[in-house]
Amino acid sequence: MTEQSIEGNKKSLAVLKRFNFFLYGTIAILTSFFPLYFQEIGLSKIEIGMIMAGGPFISIFANPFWGYWSDRTQNVKRILILLLIGNLIATVIVFQTRSYLLIFALMLIFFFFNSPTFSQSNSLILNAIENTKHKFGAFRLWGSLGWAIIAVLAGPVLSWMGLLNLWVLYGAMMIVTLLFTIGLPRGRVTTKPKGERQSYWKVMLSSKVFFVFVILGVLISVPNSINQTFVSLYISNLGGSNELIGWSVFLSAVFEIPVFLLFDRFLKKSTRMMLGCLVFISILFVIRWLLMSVVGGPIHIIFIQILHCITFGGYYYVGTSLSAHLIPGEYRATGQAIYALTWGGISGIIAGLFGGWMFDHLGPQTMYQICAAISVAGVIGFLLMWLRMRKQPELT
């Protein structure tokens, strides 16, 4: 590699960090305040849940669709640009209507472009750092930093602008994110086997461990999706302000940074070790939901959200690493898309459909108790999987 190409690679990797900062921060604005916006225009919690469930349903098709084209074109950067442009256009149109049916239909289009963005950005990172000394966490932590800082700044800004102007803030931030796609690495895999490419289903079934992992992941991700959808409404119902919601997001994300750095340093490319980490993380999820079921005020939720950095941050990092470890590099975008399917697709549908009903009819306390019970089932599954792997040779 020439000195010029090395310098160009350094610049593209630096741009990749900034891109992740603004990508995650921009999406954090919608994730944190979309439910409150829908409540502001008069939608019920069940209607909000239905809208949020529609997105994950679309992601079941969107993630493999865009993952396939990333693998086929070997140009993740181009796919990300298409996703962000479609995301921006769909969002602007959504905010211009008040009809529930029209909002629902437009949100399906929005999620078609939005849901694959994180899995594709992960693929871009993994492909860009392949055969280098760089670690995944050193790039992904910039996403957590953006999620934390931009979300906490968005709280007072939206209190001043009003929730009805959420689209102005989001649109401006998305344009900034698109500007940072200039200079991104292409995200092409350097080694690719000859012959026909594997189908989506063959990639999914290529590893029994990967297949069981993504199935068990649904049990952990359903409660997390429920919390992600309704925690801002929970804080608001307990008397919390937009600023408190912003701080909740900040504390839940900012401490992901040391978590990613620790995993970068100590997590080995060992299936047994990664599964052991998932057992521990799943236990922490159970504790988190039990604590959420007994809160007495919005401030309590703010501090419990700190556990997000270890639970979601840990699961996200280990799950991404395990998927990359088990799936060949040339099919990485598809593998990451499948992983994203179980985390934000199937689980999101269940969370949206039943989370809103539980929040309205059973109350948030009972909803979180049910979340804890579901997570216990995930703990048992990962524990059995880890115990079985201890008796077998390590996968490479």
Side-chain angles (χ1 to χ4, degrees), residues 121-140:
S121 66
N122 287 343
S123 296
L124 185 60
I125 294 171
L126 292 167
N127 292 354
I129 65 175
E130 191 173 25
N131 300 323
T132 72
K133 63 180 181 180
H134 298 287
K135 301 286 187 177
F136 173 76
F139 290 83
R140 177 55 181 80

Side-chain angles (χ1 to χ4, degrees), residues 227-270:
N227 178 73
Q228 187 175 16
T229 302
F230 296 102
V231 67
S232 59
L233 293 176
Y234 194 15
I235 294 172
S236 178
N237 285 6
L238 291 173
S241 62
N242 288 341
E243 286 81 358
L244 272 181
I245 293 171
W247 280 107
S248 168
V249 178
F250 176 84
L251 290 175
S252 69
V254 71
F255 292 111
E256 286 182 353
I257 296 171
V259 171
F260 288 142
L261 291 175
L262 286 171
F263 275 120
D264 268 350
R265 184 174 179 84
F266 296 109
L267 186 68
K268 299 177 182 178
K269 291 184 177 180
S270 161

